Amino acid sequence: MLSKRKTFYITTPIYYPSDKLHIGHSYTTVAADAMARFKRLTGYDVFFLTGTDEHGQKIERIATEKGMEPKEYVDRIVAGIKKLWSILDISNDDFIRTTDERHKKAVQKIFKKLYDQGDIYKGEYEGWYCTPCEAFWTERQLNDGKCPDCGRDVELIKEEAYFFRLSKYQDRMMEYIKNNPEFIQPPSRQNEMINNFLKPGLEDLCVSRTSFKWGIPVSFDPDHVIYVWIDALSNYITALGYETEDDSKFKRYWPADVHLVGKEIVRFHTIIWPIMLMALGIELPKQVFGHGWLILEGGKMSKSKGNVIDPVILVEKYGVDAVRYFLLREIPFGADGVFSNRALIDRINYDLANDLGNLINRTVTMIEKYFGGCIPAPQEEGDYDRDLINMAVETPLRVEELMNKLQFSNALSEIWRLIGRTNKYIDETMPWVIAKDENSKDRLGTVLYNLAEAIRIISVLISPFMPNTPRKIWSQLGIKDENLGTWESVLKWGNLQPGIKVSRGQPIFPRIEENGDNKTDVLQKQDRNNEKSSEGNKGKTVKRENNGNADYITIDDFAKLDLRVADVLKAERIEGADKLLKLELDVGGEKRQVVSGIAQFYSPEDLEGKKVVLVANLKPVKLRGVESQGMILAASDKGDKRLAVLTIDRDLPSGLKVT
Ligand code: MSP
């Protein structure tokens, strides 16, 4: 009889549909993917879920502004998100959309069940609502009258609504967290939940809205749509077929082994979600892991602040495996981490090009030079061999232990320790010296075999983090046998068969030459922009020069300016004019061409997709022979050393008048 394989169910949060998911969003998904791949490698039957959280007032508003149906709008965005995951080699087993019929029906049943058993009741809600965050706040929670999460304006809303009795489950929830120390990770987040939310007491949660329509209707009271968290959190079980005819996946994979979430949504996942499950009589997930944020100078990366890094640009520039490696290696999972170009380039040059790349290159070159390209058979064990072999077979166990604690960065450090050890083995054994002695052919063969076998083990260990690199290493080492890529094969030394033919190829990770062809212009610009914005915040006072008789303009003077929101459709350099960029703009459906002297501060990619402010009634002129139909606004200092283009930080339609 076949024994039942152990299962592993891992989820990311479901993402709000946004045109551009940034590298911060990619961080959660890349981490979940590495974990899913690691568990598959170590023999688990894995289910890895991600998806999109598509309902809510904000989406409804944006779609209306664009003159689209919400579904039409989200369909387009979701296609982009799926594409991004494929670019990042994400191996999810399912992609749940909260607009899927399977999800909507199950959520309606969940809501009805909670209502029928008295855990949801009807009342009246009055509270402060932050539309961008889709969160209600009490007066007490507001920060200077603004949303405590994003600092934006909130509106006072009063309406009939359904409520979920969180308060009834408060004590059980507290007990559960105390009795299950593994449930909330890292442990610091556990204290935060107990002290900041559970101890002060839970208020019942508003779970329906009547002020907008874009949501799942309450089946027995269709004027209400189900408020976002009940809808969103249920995805983790609706994707498994909970409350459908086929709930075999639910039976197989639930409870989830780990929900990976960013720290700002730990609260929803460790209080509301488990209470929902308790009320439904469903087992709780084994763990919720709240990771930190990827930040740039100026704070958490976010589209509205304009300080985002686009993962697609990074992947195009450096390759997907280098980006994945950087994200998982640089920042200990759980803590916040600063994203910087310097750190990324250093990781690529030192860890990938130098440590790993050179190891492979040196080994393959020596096998070609001394053994005609055939991996030699090892003979008697000699000096230094045991140390390398011991470390190579112990590393997988250490990596497994760390991965089980989601310590991606430490797991990679262990692998790099082995890479470092293998490089040191070359220096210790000095194959080029052995090669000079005709009688030491056996010893030379043993050394080179050991190097090739260590590299094979390394290639398997890195595969969850860098899914494309092992194939490239294998092609250089000449390995074709899939059995050499299994977890079992790395727990024992010596599985590599001598006699296979190596073939040296291009360096797997070319060094990034910062002043050469490989210039990191896009990133440098992104950095410079961020520096500029943080300098701009340093509270400089602006002196207004006037002679006491203020040189004001009247509102009528100002009204002469026709300022408009414009979308940058395309940007390109102008040959022979190193300061100028030619921009193609959309201004409420009308196309405009503008030439702007910003090429030393922005590359075309920086601007495409941005919303800028156009002086639309400026007399057209020709600059370097190219017609410019208006001017975009930018701020700069006198010496033109620093410059920033004015952009619109909300998704307003182009053509709107700026007043
Ligand atoms: N839709 C909700 C989640 C519902 S789950 C039932 C949501 N979506 S989100 O798109 O705003 O964020 C998705 C994930 O991306 C969150 O875990 C969030 O923490 C993560 N990140 C967004 N920006 C981030 C960084 N700058 N750094 C790291 N992670 C970040 O929240």
Side-chain angles (χ1 to χ4, degrees):
M1 205 176 80
L2 281 176
S3 67
K4 200 167 167 264
R5 277 211 296 160
K6 293 166 291 181
T7 60
F8 186 78
Y9 179 28
I10 182 165
T11 66
T12 71
I14 46 172
Y15 293 85
Y16 291 130
S18 149
D19 302 359
K20 269 254 171 314
L21 290 192
H22 54 69
I23 195 80
H25 297 113
S26 310
Y27 182 58
T28 320
T29 315
V30 164
D33 184 65
M35 194 63 198
R37 286 176 185 270
F38 183 78
K39 286 292 177 181
R40 285 189 202 109
L41 177 67
T42 49
Y44 284 74
D45 167 5
V46 171
F47 196 79
F48 167 22
L49 179 70
T50 188
T52 38
D53 184 0
E54 303 180 18
H55 291 125
Q57 189 167 15
K58 188 177 165 194
I59 298 290
E60 191 179 78
R61 272 194 199 161
I62 298 175
T64 313
E65 277 164 16
K66 291 190 182 290
M68 291 164 108
E69 285 301 318
K71 182 63 169 53
E72 190 188 350
Y73 170 70
V74 289
D75 279 352
R76 188 174 57 82
I77 306 259
V78 169
I81 294 178
K82 287 185 172 171
K83 188 161 166 231
L84 174 63
W85 296 156
S86 113
I87 290 173
L88 285 167
D89 267 315
I90 304 301
S91 64
N92 52 303
D93 296 287
D94 197 356
F95 188 102
I96 180 102
R97 299 182 55 180
T98 53
T99 50
D100 286 346
E101 277 313 309
R102 57 174 175 162
H103 175 77
K104 292 199 289 193
K105 285 200 185 116
V107 168
Q108 285 181 320
K109 286 188 190 163
I110 290 171
F111 196 95
K112 172 99 175 27
K113 197 165 168 177
L114 294 173
Y115 178 75
D116 288 346
Q117 69 191 38
D119 280 325
I120 284 182
Y121 62 93
K122 203 177 207 176
E124 190 175 66
Y125 187 81
E126 190 181 280
W128 296 94
Y129 188 69
C130 174
T131 306
C133 296
E134 307 203 27
F136 279 104
W137 303 100
T138 59
E139 185 89 40
R140 195 160 42 95
Q141 289 169 317
L142 297 182
N143 202 348
D144 278 343
K146 309 266 184 197
C147 169
D149 261 3
C150 73
R152 281 181 272 210
D153 288 342
V154 286
E155 327 169 38
L156 185 64
I157 285 179
K158 194 171 181 178
E159 62 182 32
E160 182 190 86
Y162 286 93
F163 287 84
F164 179 40
R165 285 187 206 283
L166 285 185
S167 52
K168 173 176 152 191
Y169 292 90
Q170 170 173 322
D171 295 342
R172 265 176 78 184
M173 197 57 237
M174 182 97 100
E175 277 306 292
Y176 186 85
I177 294 178
K178 285 187 177 155
N179 295 334
N180 293 276
E182 293 297 306
F183 177 56
I184 306 179
Q185 285 299 316
S188 55
R189 309 224 187 273
Q190 191 174 307
N191 305 335
E192 195 185 320
M193 291 306 120
I194 292 182
N195 296 333
N196 297 1
F197 298 105
L198 286 162
K199 276 197 184 147
L202 295 177
E203 285 173 24
D204 290 348
L205 178 77
C206 175
V207 289
S208 81
R209 298 289 307 274
T210 51
S211 51
F212 62 89
K213 287 272 154 268
W214 181 236
I216 304 174
V218 172
S219 57
F220 51 90
D221 194 353
D223 281 347
H224 289 254
V225 292
I226 296 171
Y227 166 63
V228 63
W229 283 102
I230 291 243
D231 170 3
L233 289 161
S234 303
N235 90 87
Y236 301 128
I237 52 176
T238 61
L240 298 180
Y242 176 74
E243 284 290 1
T244 66
E245 275 164 25
D246 179 6
D247 64 356
S248 53
K249 286 203 189 98
F250 178 69
K251 291 200 174 103
R252 189 182 179 93
Y253 295 107
W254 190 260
D257 291 270
V258 59
H259 292 310
L260 283 195
V261 301
K263 61 181 182 181
E264 81 285 14
I265 52 173
V266 167
R267 173 163 75 105
F268 305 105
H269 283 80
T270 58
I271 296 178
I272 300 176
W273 177 225
I275 291 182
M276 275 173 70
L277 292 167
M278 276 178 187
L280 293 166
I282 300 175
E283 226 178 309
L284 305 200
K286 292 181 200 155
Q287 187 168 90
V288 174
F289 194 104
H291 65 74
W293 287 337
L294 224 55
I295 47 186
L296 286 181
E297 284 171 59
K300 184 189 174 201
M301 212 178 276
S302 89
K303 200 177 150 201
S304 56
K305 282 195 203 147
N307 65 343
V308 294
I309 297 277
D310 181 349
V312 178
I313 296 182
L314 291 186
V315 168
E316 276 167 7
K317 204 96 192 144
Y318 304 113
V320 58
D321 280 11
V323 173
R324 289 175 58 121
Y325 172 76
F326 172 76
L327 289 176
L328 298 171
R329 176 72 194 268
E330 185 69 14
I331 307 147
F333 204 61
D336 286 349
V338 176
F339 181 97
S340 90
N341 304 332
R342 183 70 275 142
L344 170 62
I345 292 165
D346 283 352
R347 286 282 176 202
I348 294 176
N349 283 349
Y350 296 125
D351 300 5
L352 301 180
N354 232 25
D355 297 347
L356 179 57
N358 281 350
L359 172 64
I360 297 163
N361 197 267
R362 286 165 93 189
T363 303
V364 172
T365 306
M366 288 191 286
I367 294 174
E368 282 186 342
K369 184 164 173 197
Y370 302 129
F371 288 90
C374 280
I375 296 181
Q379 306 295 328
E380 252 172 62
E381 217 174 84
D383 291 345
Y384 311 112
D385 298 2
R386 187 46 33 201
D387 200 32
L388 174 71
I389 294 170
N390 285 346
M391 189 164 182
V393 293
E394 279 164 15
T395 302
L397 304 177
R398 277 207 285 268
V399 168
E400 184 168 30
E401 203 183 312
L402 293 163
M403 285 300 277
N404 285 339
K405 294 190 238 162
L406 291 126
Q407 295 189 10
F408 301 99
S409 176
N410 289 337
L412 281 165
S413 297
E414 281 299 325
I415 302 173
W416 254 255
R417 252 167 37 94
L418 175 60
I419 293 173
R421 182 68 194 84
T422 315
N423 273 316
K424 188 168 161 219
Y425 178 77
I426 301 185
D427 300 338
E428 288 166 343
T429 54
M430 295 190 281
W432 53 92
V433 175
I434 310 176
K436 290 195 178 125
D437 179 359
E438 267 302 307
N439 298 322
S440 298
K441 199 81 184 166
D442 281 357
R443 178 65 193 141
L444 183 60
T446 304
V447 167
L448 293 183
Y449 175 87
N450 287 346
L451 285 171
E453 174 64 342
I455 293 173
R456 177 190 72 85
I457 292 177
I458 290 161
S459 76
V460 178
L461 294 179
I462 60 172
S463 62
F465 308 91
M466 306 164 81
N468 299 287
T469 305
R471 231 185 316 110
K472 295 180 186 164
I473 299 178
W474 280 34
S475 124
Q476 300 215 7
L477 283 183
I479 303 176
K480 295 200 176 72
D481 179 359
E482 293 292 328
N483 291 323
L484 296 182
T486 62
W487 188 247
E488 293 66 43
S489 82
V490 298
L491 298 174
K492 206 176 127 263
W493 180 264
N495 281 315
L496 181 65
Q497 286 308 303
I500 56 177
K501 198 141 175 66
V502 302
S503 82
R504 191 147 41 108
Q506 294 293 318
I508 299 177
F509 295 102
R511 272 187 76 81
I512 310 294
E513 301 299 343
E514 289 175 69
N515 294 317
D517 287 335
N518 241 337
K519 255 191 219 146
T520 59
D521 50 349
V522 174
L523 294 172
Q524 283 166 0
K525 293 269 164 52
Q526 281 185 340
D527 251 9
R528 233 175 8 231
N529 291 346
N530 296 324
E531 272 163 31
K532 262 185 248 159
S533 60
S534 65
E535 277 170 30
N537 288 336
K538 282 181 191 155
K540 286 190 184 157
T541 47
V542 179
K543 275 196 211 131
R544 223 188 109 125
E545 283 174 28
N546 64 48
N547 51 10
N549 198 358
D551 46 351
Y552 296 124
I553 61 164
T554 66
I555 193 74
D556 292 334
D557 293 324
F558 180 73
K560 287 185 192 152
L561 285 173
D562 186 11
L563 302 178
R564 299 280 171 167
V565 175
D567 285 336
V568 181
L569 301 176
K570 210 171 141 203
E572 56 185 287
R573 297 187 189 283
I574 297 178
E575 235 184 75
D578 57 3
K579 289 193 175 157
L580 300 182
L581 283 185
K582 183 168 90 180
L583 309 178
E584 190 180 316
L585 306 178
D586 177 287
V587 192
E590 185 197 334
K591 297 268 177 303
R592 285 286 187 103
Q593 173 178 296
V594 164
V595 176
S596 183
I598 53 175
Q600 287 171 312
F601 304 92
Y602 289 88
S603 65
E605 302 88 305
D606 288 335
L607 288 166
E608 282 172 9
K610 285 234 154 63
K611 289 187 179 293
V612 296
V613 179
L614 172 75
V615 186
N617 58 346
L618 197 70
K619 193 171 169 202
V621 287
K622 277 200 170 173
L623 295 167
R624 295 292 183 104
V626 184
E627 183 166 68
S628 182
Q629 304 153 332
M631 177 175 92
I632 63 163
L633 295 186
S636 69
D637 60 10
K638 272 195 181 146
D640 254 358
K641 290 203 184 69
R642 296 179 298 170
L643 180 145
V645 167
L646 265 70
T647 54
I648 303 285
D649 70 355
R650 298 248 167 121
D651 203 1
L652 293 179
S654 75
L656 284 194
K657 199 163 166 52
V658 179
T659 52

